[in-house]
Amino acid sequence: MPDASRTGGSTAQRPQRSPLGNILFGAGVVLVLATMALGAFAGVAFMEKLADLSPLSAMVPDHGHTALVVGGIAAGGVIGLTLPTILFGMARGNEQEPPVGPGSALLKMLALLVFGVYLLVGSIVVSQVGWILPQGVTTLVAVFAIGFSWMPLAMVPWEKLGLGGVVGDRFGSRLRSNSHEAD
């Protein structure tokens, strides 16, 4: 008879959520999606004001405004998506993972703020393409450049820099602990 650990099957069943737990989970998902959408709108409004009413207005070409909109959507959406998740992590814990402490949450929020600034500065840099390209092409370049600009950050070994608990360790440790336990 094959062993359950070799075939990949699990003999332990996951505990079922109560109806109240399902309602709370659904409310949490709706809240996170709402803050993500509101963050994206706020990011766009911020970048539009920055391009029109600030000293940067002379630096951003007319065809580069859409790059700022793309950057505002990215920064606001990421901040709006991640901030409530960090706050939920402070309130919720279990036997395997304790709640996120205030110091760790503050570091995560600071890292999130730095990432948002990184995206906004990247959108200002990409908007400079608007001096030589038409608006449609500038928008296309902005979507790809800003959308993929975070990839070098994903390849940095954050654990070796002492920031493993700040950047992505909460989900990564869960994935590593469940993979091939019985090898």
Side-chain angles (χ1 to χ4, degrees):
M1 185 179 251
D3 186 22
S5 63
R6 283 191 197 160
T7 61
S10 176
T11 57
Q13 292 185 2
R14 292 181 59 193
Q16 295 294 320
R17 247 190 226 126
S18 67
L20 179 61
N22 287 336
I23 291 170
L24 289 174
F25 178 77
V29 167
V30 168
L31 178 69
V32 168
L33 292 176
T35 57
M36 180 185 68
L38 290 174
F41 283 119
V44 169
F46 174 73
M47 291 304 283
E48 283 291 319
K49 294 283 185 188
L50 188 68
D52 292 335
L53 302 175
S54 74
L56 291 177
S57 61
M59 197 168 106
V60 177
D62 289 336
H63 294 292
H65 279 255
T66 55
L68 297 178
V69 170
V70 171
I73 291 170
V78 167
I79 290 171
L81 176 71
T82 312
L83 189 61
T85 309
I86 293 170
L87 295 175
F88 286 152
M90 289 179 68
R92 185 173 183 273
N94 56 27
E95 299 83 31
Q96 290 86 15
E97 292 183 32
V100 177
S104 178
L106 185 62
L107 280 175
K108 289 180 184 196
M109 288 181 202
L110 184 62
L112 183 62
L113 179 66
V114 168
F115 182 67
V117 169
Y118 172 80
L119 287 175
L120 295 178
V121 169
S123 68
I124 292 171
V125 170
V126 171
S127 72
Q128 300 306 305
V129 176
W131 290 110
I132 56 174
L133 295 176
Q135 186 171 3
V137 178
T138 303
T139 303
L140 184 65
V141 168
V143 167
F144 283 103
I146 295 166
F148 293 118
S149 68
W150 58 270
M151 287 200 178
L153 294 175
M155 291 187 256
V156 172
W158 296 106
E159 296 83 20
K160 291 183 180 181
L161 298 174
L163 296 172
V166 176
V167 184
D169 192 42
R170 185 165 177 89
F171 298 110
S173 65
R174 184 180 307 147
L175 293 174
R176 283 190 296 270
S177 67
N178 289 338
S179 63
H180 306 297
E181 290 176 2
D183 283 348

